[in-house]
Amino acid sequence: MTARPAPGTPLVFRWRKWDGSPHWEHDCVFLGSDAHGDWVGQRDGWRSARPGLDTVSNGDNVTLIPPSGEYAATLNATHPRIAVYIDIAWDVRWDAGADPTGIDMDLDVVRARDERGVFIDDRDEWEEHRVRYGYPADIVLRLEQVAIDLEAAVRAAAPPYDEATAAHWLGVLTRLAP
């Protein structure tokens, strides 16, 4: 297991696609760990970029990196449209340089702040990319089940997708990165 940085350490969460091409990079800070996994945070206005797009975060957010490496769950403090955004992923882990990395697998579980509620997003992209990139069948089956299970957990507001967990880690973010 790669050692974790000290809480408050700045880092970059680097995503790539299945073929190794670069995807999102998020400037963030290591917050700590709990029973659910490791947590990183991003303050309002911090940089997020992918090829062709450089933007900043819309409100503070914290992201859970679970030991399974099958997703990264972002809980937003004040984002106007999205409360929870879970990237279904493969091989989310800490690289030797102590930054988290992962392969974005297209499917997302979302808790919207509007009438859409909780849903699995980007099924069309998932279908297109699993053919284009040749996702292995066992990984496809596993991640489809992960998405269904996470959708149910988010809908039930089960920890760590509950307000108390989000409030705790957002508070840590505020203390470590004022």
Side-chain angles (χ1 to χ4, degrees), residues 17-19 103-106 125-140 143:
K17 297 306 272 182
W18 185 262
D19 67 355
I103 299 171
D104 178 26
M105 298 296 286
D106 314 311
E125 187 178 357
W126 165 250
E127 289 300 322
E128 177 188 329
H129 285 180
R130 72 186 193 93
V131 171
R132 180 193 309 167
Y133 294 127
Y135 297 162
D138 60 327
I139 291 175
V140 167
L143 294 182

Side-chain angles (χ1 to χ4, degrees), residues 81-165:
R81 295 180 316 279
I82 306 296
V84 176
Y85 193 94
I86 303 176
D87 289 287
I88 305 301
W90 193 251
D91 195 30
V92 178
R93 60 181 164 81
W94 293 86
D95 71 14
D99 282 339
T101 67
I103 299 171
D104 178 26
M105 298 296 286
D106 314 311
L107 280 178
D108 305 296
V109 176
V110 177
R111 179 189 302 142
R113 296 191 193 276
D114 60 21
E115 68 281 349
R116 294 174 296 161
V118 178
F119 60 97
I120 297 175
D121 197 20
D122 293 335
R123 289 183 187 271
D124 55 340
E125 187 178 357
W126 165 250
E127 289 300 322
E128 177 188 329
H129 285 180
R130 72 186 193 93
V131 171
R132 180 193 309 167
Y133 294 127
Y135 297 162
D138 60 327
I139 291 175
V140 167
L141 291 173
R142 174 66 194 144
L143 294 182
E144 286 176 347
Q145 188 61 54
V146 167
I148 290 167
D149 293 347
L150 286 168
E151 180 185 32
V154 170
R155 190 176 306 283
Y161 315 108
D162 60 317
E163 290 184 23
T165 302

Side-chain angles (χ1 to χ4, degrees), residues 27 42-48 54-61:
D27 290 342
Q42 188 178 49
R43 296 304 308 259
D44 180 42
W46 285 14
R47 182 177 179 267
S48 288
D54 201 319
T55 187
V56 296
S57 64
N58 190 346
D60 290 355
N61 64 75

Side-chain angles (χ1 to χ4, degrees), residues 8-31:
T9 300
L11 49 85
V12 177
F13 194 144
R14 289 184 174 85
W15 288 97
R16 62 193 183 284
K17 297 306 272 182
W18 185 262
D19 67 355
S21 60
H23 195 42
W24 283 103
E25 290 188 355
H26 305 287
D27 290 342
C28 46
V29 62
F30 183 68
L31 301 176

